Amino acid sequence: MEADFKRDAKQKIGQFIVDSGLYFALAWSFLYKFRIFDIQESELLWPVWWVTEESVSTVVMVSRGLLCVVPFFTLFKQTRSFAQIVTFLTALIFISISFSNGKSYHSGLAWIIFMFSYFGVRWFVRPQHAIHFAFFCFSTAYINSGLWKLRSLVDYLWETGDLSVLLYTLQEHISASAVERVQAPTWLGQLVLENLWLSGVLWVSALAIEVGAIFIPFFRRQAWLFAMALALFHVGVLLTMRINFMSSIVLLSMLTVYFFLTKDELMVAK
């Protein structure tokens, strides 16, 4: 009886995250990020080519209203699918208005990649598998970053054989970030600067997390560990270099909870 109750509770929480939680988080993330619009382009490109200079303020105002209201309709079965799609499309309009001419909002783009991938397969597979597929598509950004770092590291070691690069690379990034922002290093950044061994441990760990994401498709039950590791990676970057990917942390934290609650169901075939 108690086991059945716990299983039902896990399923309900997991279902809420998929049905509504992710869309409330998406709306909050984009409303916070785009609370102030700074649009310098006179002509917007795809997918908001239809927005004119005269209508952009109206489109932004309507989009804000939709993101404030529409996620609540995901709570009702009759309007859920429609509300989910409208929330995603509204977020896409938001990010496209600000970044359609070549700039990038990496953390918000992660949401777009995740949601686009999820909607692409959700009609054909179990919800757990659709979320897992979308998570892997989203994680390819980390895999690409990790593989480029690994290639550069291998090339450098092949030419010099100097293993000390593993120790001081993170210190160089922290120092460069502090100079660029004209701010003193954070308390954790300062601690890393003062301890070479800590710099090496954190750098190698970050590289392992990024490259290790390539194994996500092969370890479904451990997906929550991958999501948690990536979330902690962003927390570490924030605490050492003040680079804020809060919306990615929110997404990864929700996925950590979801995958942990549904880890047994992930092994069930369609």
Side-chain angles (χ1 to χ4, degrees):
M1 180 74 71
E2 183 178 354
D4 291 340
F5 175 78
K6 288 182 178 179
R7 184 172 59 253
D8 290 342
K10 288 181 179 180
Q11 290 177 346
K12 288 180 179 179
I13 296 173
Q15 195 64 44
F16 171 77
I17 291 175
V18 172
D19 290 342
S20 301
L22 286 172
Y23 301 92
F24 278 104
L26 171 62
W28 172 82
S29 297
F30 276 66
L31 284 170
Y32 180 78
K33 170 64 181 180
F34 299 110
R35 61 193 184 279
I36 299 175
F37 264 82
D38 181 20
I39 306 169
Q40 299 178 355
E41 296 85 357
S42 59
E43 182 179 358
L44 296 171
L45 306 179
W46 189 93
V48 286
W49 75 92
W50 48 272
V51 179
T52 64
E53 188 176 359
E54 294 75 20
S55 66
V56 65
S57 296
T58 301
V59 173
V60 169
M61 182 178 64
V62 171
S63 297
R64 281 201 178 105
L66 288 173
L67 285 182
C68 287
V69 175
V70 172
F72 287 96
F73 287 91
T74 63
L75 298 171
F76 309 102
K77 186 175 181 179
Q78 297 84 349
T79 56
R80 181 168 297 146
S81 294
F82 178 74
Q84 291 171 343
I85 294 173
V86 170
T87 302
F88 166 68
L89 292 178
T90 304
L92 180 61
I93 289 173
F94 253 35
I95 198 172
S96 299
I97 287 177
S98 282
F99 300 107
S100 68
N101 276 331
K103 294 179 292 184
S104 179
Y105 167 38
H106 292 87
S107 199
L109 188 60
W111 275 98
I112 299 301
I113 294 173
F114 177 84
M115 286 296 181
F116 183 81
S117 304
Y118 173 62
F119 281 122
V121 299
R122 62 176 288 188
W123 318 109
F124 310 106
V125 299
R126 293 168 59 88
Q128 296 87 350
H129 294 172
I131 291 290
H132 190 264
F133 171 78
F135 174 45
F136 176 68
C137 292
F138 156 57
S139 70
T140 55
Y142 301 93
I143 297 171
N144 181 63
S145 174
L147 290 178
W148 274 105
K149 290 186 181 76
L150 185 61
R151 177 186 175 183
S152 298
L153 175 62
V154 171
D155 289 343
Y156 179 83
L157 293 177
W158 181 264
E159 294 177 2
T160 68
D162 181 15
L163 288 173
S164 65
V165 67
L166 297 172
L167 298 177
Y168 61 74
T169 298
L170 180 56
Q171 290 184 334
E172 290 183 346
H173 281 287
I174 293 174
S175 298
S177 178
V179 171
E180 181 181 350
R181 296 171 184 272
V182 197
Q183 290 179 304
T186 64
W187 64 270
L188 183 56
Q190 188 62 43
L191 185 63
V192 173
L193 289 175
E194 295 172 357
N195 295 273
L196 195 61
W197 67 269
L198 182 59
S199 173
V201 169
L202 293 179
W203 177 253
V204 172
S205 298
L207 183 60
I209 289 172
E210 288 189 315
V211 176
I214 201 170
F215 297 106
I216 288 174
F218 310 106
F219 296 92
R220 289 181 174 179
R221 291 198 66 193
Q222 289 74 36
W224 68 277
L225 288 173
F226 286 101
M228 183 173 64
L230 290 172
L232 291 175
F233 164 79
H234 280 302
V235 171
V237 171
L238 175 61
L239 293 179
T240 54
M241 291 180 280
R242 294 191 178 91
I243 300 176
N244 190 347
F245 279 75
M246 186 55 66
S247 61
S248 289
I249 294 174
V250 171
L251 173 58
L252 288 164
S253 297
M254 297 189 74
L255 290 177
T256 299
V257 175
Y258 175 78
F259 286 134
F260 181 77
L261 295 176
T262 61
K263 56 185 178 180
D264 294 326
E265 297 177 47
L266 274 169
M267 301 307 297
V268 180
K270 179 182 175 184

